[in-house]
Amino acid sequence: MVIATEIPILDEQSITETLRTKNIEIDLFITAIKEKVGYDLSGYARASIKRRIEQLVIDENVTCIAELIPKLLYSKECQANYINRLTVNVSELFRHPNSFLSLRKSVLPYLESFPRRDIWIAGCATGEEAYSMAILLEEVGLLNNTQIHATDINTEVLKQAKTGILTKGLNKDDAARYQASGGTSSLSNYFSTAYNKHKLSQHLLDHISFSHHNILQDKVFCSAQLVMCRNVMIYFDLNTQNSALALFHNSLVQNGYLVIGEKESLINSPLINLLKTIDEPAKIYQRKSSANV
Amino acid sequence: MSDFRVFIGGSAGSIAPIKTILSSLPTDFNLIITLIIHSSGDNNTSMIEAIASCCTLTVIEISDKEIVKPNTIYLAPGGYHLYVENINSYSLSVDKKEHYCRPAIDLLFTSAAETFGKHCIAILLSGANEDGTEGLLNVKRHGGLTIVQSPELSQVSIMPKIAIERGAATKVLSPKEISHLLLEYND
């Protein structure tokens, strides 16, 4: 059965032309951001950055991407606002519990052998990943002498993360993920509640430092026994992912661990030879000592 | 590998028609198929097994920047939005839900429309949501083929009905007919 339709079907030439124009607009906008603000978004995955830019067009009530460019160039307020909206990532407590469970079993016993530990959470968004790590370390008795370095490119989310206050409160899904991560207490024990807000206990928060860091343009943030960067590299193109992975690898001490997102992969990275797989479904890898490379 | 690409979106009640469609495709079916089914899924394993058990093609859950191979069916992972990144690969995001869904069919279909144009075949199946219609409209605008499962034959007819009402369907077909049509493209 064929349905009559009123949807205008454009001829091939005008479709090609429209797509071409939009691509030029995106490139110009990205160039403007780079030249004016210094952030290079050219290595972002095209499909998702395009979607975010198109969302910005709708939110800003303009008719096309090109109209965002003068606003960006002439308004400081717009610059900060656009950057933050284009780079914001979401997070949640104990995301992908399987990875936390595996960390608890396979990685933390190894970290115990160090007198002091540094853990880098790259792309920490609103802090939940760092909070989860602090809770996990507390439960296995490793929080003392551990410093968690949580970094993000986005200044807005960092402000939020530093407060220790959960953006979405605590619900039963969080509790379930905590349990699935091998949690031995009750998640709410680690938060104080006031005015309907949940704030991470101060003695846990004291072990986390939040700093601004751009994975694509800045150097290694710290030397670490464990680097965790999950659901951040999905926003990068393949080349950029590989540079990010190289950065993480450089920051790891020999035999240090790397954790990436559950749907992220090392398959297309040259780094695959420099890392040993500890737990593939949990996406936990270990830097080989130079003797083994 | 054919220039044509197939994108199949479904929600509640879509596993049965998906099985019907895929079960008649031969091992050398040379159009890459991407499946997107609403699921928050921390665990898609049982869904993959169910789909894989009914067809001769390999079924893979997509990883970020997965590079496509011939004779393979790709399934969107639960909890992530899925886009076509370029003609050879996908990308994922955890941006906000659309129509209360992640993955959202609209986002995949729209990126497929813009990448594959007239070579895009988008199919919308049973479901209780308005997701998919906007994506089909974009496929249509870019010269692609849009197919909607007949509402009378859908376990949940809301999603197909909305798509048809808004003029997003080039063809309205039963799962068997969809399968026959796909075989015609397999040269």
Side-chain angles (χ1 to χ4, degrees):
Chain A
M1 167 164 101
V2 177
I3 306 288
T5 170
E6 295 128 43
I7 302 303
I9 299 168
L10 306 168
D11 64 278
E12 213 172 334
Q13 201 186 345
S14 59
I15 294 167
T16 317
E17 208 44 45
T18 310
L19 288 175
R20 209 173 76 86
T21 308
K22 200 192 262 183
N23 273 324
I24 295 171
E25 287 185 289
I26 293 171
D27 289 339
L28 288 172
F29 184 55
I30 288 175
T31 303
I33 291 174
K34 188 179 171 190
E35 296 296 325
K36 187 70 190 179
V37 198
Y39 284 112
D40 186 0
L41 305 182
S42 62
Y44 275 57
R46 192 71 172 188
S48 45
I49 195 71
K50 183 178 180 187
R51 169 82 189 161
R52 285 181 172 186
I53 294 171
E54 284 171 344
Q55 193 59 49
L56 205 52
V57 168
I58 295 167
D59 297 344
E60 290 288 283
N61 208 12
V62 292
T63 57
C64 64
I65 298 165
E67 283 183 32
L68 295 172
I69 297 174
K71 293 176 132 214
L72 176 95
L73 293 178
Y74 296 110
S75 156
K76 272 223 145 45
E77 214 172 287
C78 286
Q79 287 158 21
N81 186 287
Y82 291 179
I83 288 288
N84 282 328
R85 277 149 77 186
L86 293 174
T87 59
V88 67
N89 291 341
V90 296
S91 188
E92 59 187 19
L93 289 168
F94 294 97
R95 178 165 57 186
H96 310 318
N98 189 29
S99 296
F100 281 103
L101 189 63
S102 187
L103 275 174
R104 188 185 278 263
K105 286 182 184 156
S106 319
V107 174
L108 297 188
Y110 166 79
L111 294 189
E112 205 169 358
S113 61
F114 289 86
R116 270 197 47 79
R117 292 161 287 271
D118 289 286
I119 295 175
W120 180 17
I121 312 277
C124 66
T126 37
E128 288 83 349
E129 196 98 313
Y131 303 164
S132 306
M133 183 56 78
I135 293 170
L136 180 64
L137 291 166
E138 169 83 343
E139 290 195 353
V140 297
L142 291 182
L143 189 61
N144 282 337
N145 298 323
T146 301
Q147 181 65 39
I148 299 171
H149 308 270
T151 63
D152 205 282
I153 186 177
N154 190 308
T155 51
E156 271 310 299
V157 295
L158 280 172
K159 250 188 246 167
Q160 173 65 41
K162 277 177 193 168
T163 65
I165 297 169
L166 295 176
T167 46
K168 281 168 284 184
L170 266 187
N171 60 40
K172 63 174 178 11
D173 292 338
D174 297 314
R177 285 194 307 275
Y178 163 75
Q179 294 298 341
S181 302
T184 53
S185 172
S186 167
L187 185 56
S188 57
N189 288 348
Y190 299 104
F191 294 88
S192 58
T193 312
Y195 308 106
N196 249 337
K197 302 239 187 235
H198 295 81
K199 184 177 178 293
L200 186 72
S201 303
Q202 194 58 45
H203 78 283
L204 297 179
L205 200 54
D206 287 343
H207 285 270
I208 312 171
S209 64
F210 291 96
S211 315
H212 182 263
H213 180 270
N214 181 343
I215 296 168
L216 306 191
Q217 290 167 275
D218 294 339
K219 298 199 170 86
V220 163
F221 187 77
C222 60
S223 164
Q225 281 83 22
L226 171 61
V227 174
M228 202 157 169
C229 180
R230 304 194 301 164
N231 285 358
V232 175
M233 287 186 288
I234 50 176
Y235 294 100
F236 302 159
D237 65 24
L238 259 186
N239 282 337
T240 308
Q241 284 184 358
N242 287 336
S243 330
L245 285 167
L247 184 78
F248 300 147
H249 181 260
N250 284 337
S251 106
L252 284 173
V253 301
Q254 285 190 19
N255 301 316
Y257 292 88
L258 172 69
V259 190
I260 62 174
E262 63 160 350
K263 299 300 168 204
E264 290 167 335
S265 165
L266 296 178
I267 281 180
N268 299 307
S269 164
L271 227 62
I272 199 161
N273 299 317
L274 304 178
L275 293 162
K276 180 178 145 194
T277 303
I278 300 299
D279 183 339
E280 183 55 35
K283 299 288 173 182
I284 301 176
Y285 306 90
Q286 183 176 31
R287 180 181 169 151
K288 292 179 184 168
S289 54
S290 21
N292 295 335
V293 172
Chain B
M1 208 151 85
S2 165
D3 286 342
F4 284 93
R5 298 294 173 96
V6 182
F7 296 86
I8 304 179
S11 191
S14 64
I15 298 291
I18 284 172
K19 284 179 161 181
T20 309
I21 294 166
L22 301 181
S23 60
S24 60
L25 303 179
T27 336
D28 66 347
F29 186 73
N30 67 1
L31 283 73
I32 290 184
I33 298 177
T34 309
L35 292 177
I36 176 166
I37 302 162
H38 287 156
S39 98
S40 61
D42 279 331
N43 196 351
N44 265 4
T45 320
S46 56
M47 192 170 14
I48 298 171
E49 280 167 8
I51 295 166
S53 68
C54 74
C55 68
T56 55
L57 295 152
T58 311
V59 182
I60 289 180
E61 188 181 54
I62 296 166
S63 285
D64 183 53
K65 309 295 170 321
E66 179 103 35
I67 293 167
V68 297
K69 291 195 238 41
N71 314 117
T72 309
I73 295 172
Y74 290 92
L75 176 69
Y80 290 82
H81 285 310
L82 175 68
Y83 302 96
V84 171
E85 176 69 11
N86 53 46
I87 58 165
N88 292 319
S89 88
Y90 301 98
S91 62
L92 300 174
S93 105
V94 281
D95 284 359
K96 68 177 170 57
K97 295 180 178 180
E98 298 281 328
H99 309 292
Y100 310 101
C101 293
R102 194 174 52 219
I105 301 168
D106 278 344
L107 299 189
L108 174 66
F109 281 6
T110 300
S111 67
E114 293 180 353
T115 308
F116 298 112
K118 64 179 179 184
H119 293 118
C120 181
I121 303 172
I123 303 169
L124 191 68
L125 304 173
S126 169
N129 195 298
E130 64 173 313
D131 189 23
T133 296
E134 191 55 44
L136 285 181
L137 289 170
N138 283 325
V139 171
K140 205 166 180 178
R141 288 186 191 110
H142 287 84
L145 174 65
T146 62
I147 302 165
V148 174
Q149 184 182 6
S150 337
E152 313 86 73
L153 297 172
S154 300
Q155 198 186 327
V156 185
S157 61
I158 299 169
M159 211 153 81
K161 267 187 185 153
I162 293 173
I164 295 165
E165 276 162 18
R166 290 185 44 200
T170 318
K171 290 168 188 287
V172 177
L173 302 172
S174 73
K176 278 227 151 61
E177 290 168 321
I178 294 172
S179 176
H180 291 152
L181 185 128
L182 291 182
L183 287 170
E184 284 171 27
Y185 280 87
N186 188 36
D187 42 24

